[in-house]
Amino acid sequence: MNTDPTSSTSTGPGAPTPSGTTREDRSARVAVTVFPLLILAAAAFAFLVPSAGLAIAPATNVFLGVIMFAMGLTLTIPDFTLVVKRPLPVLIGVLAQYLVMPLVGFGVTVLLQLPPELAAGVILVGCAPGGTSSNVINYLSKADTALSVTMTSISTLLAPLLTPLLTLWLAGAYLPIPAGEMAMSIVKMVLIPVVAGLVIRLLFSRIVDRILPALPWVSVVGISLVVIAVVSGSVDQIVAAGALVLLAVVLHNGFGYLLGFWFARVLRQPIRTSRTVSVEVGMQNSGMAATLAASYFSPAAALPGAVFSIWHNLSGALLAMYYRRSAAKQDADPREVRPSA
């Protein structure tokens, strides 16, 4: 979601305050700080009271649709113009998204010798598009927020095609992959809600602008409900393999950040762009992955997505602090190219 204050109008809810921030900016900062705590609380609640989560489990598709609709509401047509203005960074970012994370996920399953259901779940997380919270983390990292929004948008639009195909390719040896059905589910749960949100933003921009500060919380609540539903159905698996799943998620996420950064640097991208790619690649739409895994595989296969939802928000907040502190030195790189406003 776009949290760049430069995108706000000079008046109204998104207007800069005397301190130079906007309501949307402040809301995003609070959300990204509180988000991990709420996700942890949701997971603990589901673990202790699994019956409550099982009651809402049939609605996980709806929760994901609401999250993606909220993402669509944050988008504008200019978010897609970078595809024309700066095609190379966008191409590099999306290529890294669908190359680095799927292969890292597969590598982690081989390294840890994960059982088939967990292996399929980890790979599915890797084949998912970028997560919406990556845009907030990139803004707080002083990275290229506009590029992040474009990358998330493009990778999401490509998800109905690439996520099932990559999952079939890399996880087909572990479990049967209903790629066609999965593609249709992504269209219904992800693509249609995002496009609907974008259209409504175009038609009713003034109304939507007023609710932008609340949209990060829609994602917070939606992901929390998905986590509750998934964890509630995976209590036995958490007890049996929780530490192993956490290790797989930490490795997957960490190598995503690291390789995403160096993927961009090797291709001669500025440090600011490389930070953006790093965050975008490392943070996945794990809610989508968990929902698909629960629908087409098993509760155990959905566990990596649920744990990833918790972990990547914790690690993303820490990475934002690191990138923000080192931004002054990194931005001094003479190869740094700043996009025009």
Side-chain angles (χ1 to χ4, degrees):
M1 59 194 69
N2 191 348
T3 59
D4 188 345
T6 61
S7 67
S8 301
T9 57
S10 59
T11 59
T17 64
S19 62
T21 62
T22 65
R23 292 183 190 177
E24 186 184 353
D25 179 28
R26 293 197 305 273
S27 179
R29 287 173 182 270
V30 173
V32 80
T33 302
V34 177
F35 196 176
L37 300 179
L38 291 178
I39 297 295
L40 283 171
F45 172 76
F47 186 81
L48 297 173
V49 192
S51 59
L54 292 175
I56 65 172
T60 51
N61 291 4
V62 176
F63 300 149
L64 181 62
V66 171
I67 295 167
M68 301 316 298
F69 177 70
M71 174 188 169
L73 288 176
T74 68
L75 300 177
T76 61
I77 294 301
D79 292 330
F80 296 92
T81 59
L82 283 185
V83 177
V84 177
K85 293 180 179 178
R86 300 169 61 203
L88 184 58
V90 174
L91 177 61
I92 288 173
V94 174
L95 182 61
Q97 177 70 57
Y98 282 115
L99 180 64
V100 171
M101 286 301 275
L103 293 179
V104 170
F106 178 77
V108 167
T109 65
V110 173
L111 176 67
L112 300 181
Q113 293 295 292
L114 296 180
E117 291 179 326
L118 294 181
V122 169
I123 290 171
L124 182 53
V125 171
C127 298
T132 56
S133 55
S134 64
N135 307 147
V136 180
I137 295 298
N138 263 315
Y139 174 70
L140 297 179
S141 300
K142 299 187 71 174
D144 192 332
T145 311
L147 177 60
S148 176
V149 171
T150 301
M151 284 177 55
T152 301
S153 304
I154 298 300
S155 69
T156 299
L157 294 177
L158 292 173
L161 174 64
L162 294 181
T163 297
L165 287 178
L166 290 169
T167 304
L168 177 63
W169 174 43
L170 296 172
Y174 294 105
L175 292 175
I177 308 297
E181 295 178 23
M182 191 179 291
M184 289 306 301
S185 291
I186 297 174
V187 169
K188 295 175 183 177
M189 294 187 303
V190 177
L191 189 60
I192 291 176
V194 168
V195 173
L198 175 60
V199 171
I200 290 178
R201 177 75 182 273
L202 288 172
L203 297 177
F204 306 103
S205 59
R206 291 190 178 184
I207 296 176
V208 174
D209 285 345
R210 292 181 177 275
I211 65 171
L212 281 178
L215 293 181
W217 295 102
V218 173
S219 293
V220 170
V221 173
I223 291 294
S224 297
L225 291 172
V226 170
V227 167
I228 289 174
V230 171
V231 171
S232 295
S234 310
V235 173
D236 293 340
Q237 290 85 357
I238 293 173
V239 173
L244 182 62
V245 172
L246 178 59
L247 177 59
V249 166
V250 171
L251 290 174
H252 196 184
N253 176 240
F255 276 108
Y257 290 143
L258 181 65
L259 295 179
F261 179 86
W262 285 107
F263 186 92
R265 287 300 282 164
V266 166
L267 294 176
R268 297 182 171 275
Q269 293 303 295
I271 291 182
R272 186 166 179 248
T273 298
S274 300
R275 287 202 305 265
T276 306
V277 175
S278 168
V279 172
E280 193 68 29
V281 169
M283 301 189 73
Q284 298 293 86
N285 191 336
S286 47
M288 186 192 86
T291 302
L292 290 172
S295 300
Y296 293 105
F297 303 147
S298 68
L303 187 56
V307 175
F308 204 100
S309 293
I310 301 169
W311 175 254
H312 82 158
N313 285 287
L314 291 168
S315 66
L318 294 174
L319 186 65
M321 292 173 57
Y322 170 75
Y323 277 159
R324 192 174 186 88
R325 289 177 180 176
S326 61
K329 178 180 178 181
Q330 291 174 335
D331 288 344
D333 190 305
R335 291 169 294 181
E336 177 71 15
V337 178
R338 291 179 172 80
S340 56

